[in-house]
């Protein structure tokens, strides 16, 4: 009897931990897909008052509309987004994740929804290149490709990481750091919106393909997403959203 109980507990524990990601059929039956993002990375995902919006928020809304289901958003800290996929807490994540080998071990990426990269931002205007970062203090958001890429450079004095990219940006404004590394379009918008801060954009440190993610192996959902995404690329709706935010087409070519 005791043995039996032990086995029953083990089975229950296994069931609790190996949560199954929802298939595209289950999502269609439910009529609603749950997507997580951060909401603090303008112009890609951010809040305008109480309303979540941004380039990738609108792209996701257009894709999901083509898939014929409703969309429920969840917003969380950047660091929590990908791990929640494995726990089936949401069906997909769209939060400007660059496709990396490391991340691809844990999640399945859909087709990239834009191409961009990390750029060096300073106020002194003299910190422009990777070489200029030698002996300098650099601010980046925790858990990002900016952190990984800056860590790869030799000679950087210190990499300070912050839970939000906007905190890293503020560290530069208050001159607690010499440079901030972030997305090219995020930096462009920050520079335009904060003329007083006097941001100077330097070199691109690396380029990356940015994609939505689903739970590892949920290829049915990734395929359905990709099919709908192809449709918005083809029918002009992607181009319109891209033009609205960037005045250019940011699709990967
Ligand atoms: N593109 C970078 C990366 O792949 C940063 C993404 C940050 N996204 C965000 N929602 N704050 O790590």
């Amino acid at each position: 009897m005791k043995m039996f109980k032990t086995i029953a507990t083990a089975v229950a524990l296994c069931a609790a931990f190996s949560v199954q990601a929802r298939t595209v059929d289950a999502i269609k039956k439910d009529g609603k897909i749950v997507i997580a993002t951060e909401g603090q990375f303008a112009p890609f995902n951010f809040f305008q008052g109480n309303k979540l919006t941004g380039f990738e928020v609108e792209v996701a809304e257009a894709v999901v509309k083509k898939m014929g289901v409703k969309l429920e958003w969840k917003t969380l800290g950047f660091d929590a987004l990908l791990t929640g996929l494995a726990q089936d807490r949401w069906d997909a994540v769209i939060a400007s994740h660059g496709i990396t080998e490391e991340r691809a071990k844990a999640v399945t990426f859909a087709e990239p929804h834009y191409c961009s990269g990390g750029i060096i931002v300073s106020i002194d205007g003299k910190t422009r290149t990777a070489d200029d970062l030698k002996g300098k203090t650099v601010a980046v958001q925790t858990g990002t490709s900016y952190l990984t890429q800056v860590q790869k450079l030799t000679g950087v004095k210190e990499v300070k990481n912050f839970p939000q990219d906007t905190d890293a940006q503020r560290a530069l404004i208050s001159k607690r750091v010499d440079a901030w590394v972030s997305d090219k379009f995020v930096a462009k918008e920050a520079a335009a919106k904060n003329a007083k801060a006097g941001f100077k954009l330097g070199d691109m440190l690396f380029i990356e393909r940015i994609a939505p993610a689903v739970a590892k192996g949920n290829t049915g959902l990734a395929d359905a997403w990709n099919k709908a995404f192809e449709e918005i690329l083809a029918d002009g709706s992607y181009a319109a959203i891209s033009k609205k935010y960037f005045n250019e087409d940011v699709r990967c070519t």
Side-chain angles (χ1 to χ4, degrees):
M1 188 58 192
K2 188 153 186 254
M3 170 83 161
F4 181 74
K5 264 197 180 158
T6 314
I7 293 171
T9 311
V11 169
L13 277 176
C14 280
F17 285 109
S18 65
V19 203
Q20 214 47 86
R22 295 204 301 165
T23 61
V24 64
D25 286 341
I27 291 166
K28 288 204 166 146
K29 211 165 148 200
D30 180 34
K32 181 185 83 186
I33 185 169
V34 182
I35 305 185
T37 189
E38 185 196 31
Q40 308 292 341
F41 200 56
F44 295 103
N45 62 76
F46 62 99
F47 282 92
Q48 208 156 51
N50 290 331
K51 193 183 161 2
L52 178 69
T53 188
F55 170 71
E56 62 197 341
V57 169
E58 289 202 36
V59 165
E61 281 165 355
V63 167
V64 166
K65 199 166 166 199
K66 294 274 186 206
M67 288 169 73
V69 289
K70 291 207 158 55
L71 199 175
E72 180 186 322
W73 286 106
K74 294 226 186 285
T75 52
L76 293 105
F78 182 68
D79 240 8
L81 295 169
L82 295 188
T83 43
L85 280 175
Q87 302 158 343
D88 201 29
R89 293 173 61 199
W90 35 84
D91 302 303
V93 167
I94 188 160
S96 288
H97 286 90
I99 301 177
T100 65
E101 246 176 66
E102 201 51 37
R103 287 173 178 162
K105 285 181 196 156
V107 301
T108 293
F109 283 108
E111 287 302 315
H113 57 290
Y114 72 96
C115 269
S116 186
I119 197 166
I120 301 168
V121 188
S122 72
I123 290 180
D124 65 13
K126 283 178 286 189
T127 315
R128 305 186 57 84
T129 67
D131 208 50
D132 295 339
L133 294 178
K134 288 201 171 117
K136 302 280 171 67
T137 302
V138 186
V140 293
Q141 183 182 18
T142 312
T144 59
S145 51
Y146 317 126
L147 173 62
T148 328
Q149 296 286 339
V150 174
Q151 277 172 337
K152 279 191 196 158
L153 303 174
T154 49
V156 172
K157 183 172 164 207
E158 194 189 347
V159 190
K160 287 205 164 129
N161 58 87
F162 297 85
Q164 291 185 7
D165 189 59
T166 45
D167 302 326
Q169 182 191 141
R170 271 192 286 273
L172 176 62
I173 296 178
S174 58
K175 305 206 174 140
R176 280 174 285 151
V177 296
D178 303 300
W180 163 47
V181 173
S182 184
D183 180 85
K184 171 177 82 172
F185 296 105
V186 170
K188 265 194 191 171
E189 173 157 314
K193 286 217 163 135
N194 263 300
K196 273 206 313 239
F199 288 144
K200 313 277 187 315
L201 305 198
D203 283 1
M204 299 275 297
L205 203 52
F206 63 97
I207 56 163
E208 60 181 354
R209 290 150 56 83
I210 311 279
V214 297
K216 180 84 183 160
N218 196 355
T219 49
L221 179 56
D223 290 348
W225 176 284
N226 288 340
K227 187 171 161 274
F229 180 65
E230 288 296 327
E231 286 171 35
I232 71 157
L233 285 180
D235 74 3
S237 35
Y238 178 96
I241 302 168
S242 187
K243 190 164 188 332
K244 169 177 162 190
Y245 283 93
F246 309 108
N247 213 20
E248 67 180 282
D249 199 313
V250 297
R251 77 182 71 188
C252 299
T253 46

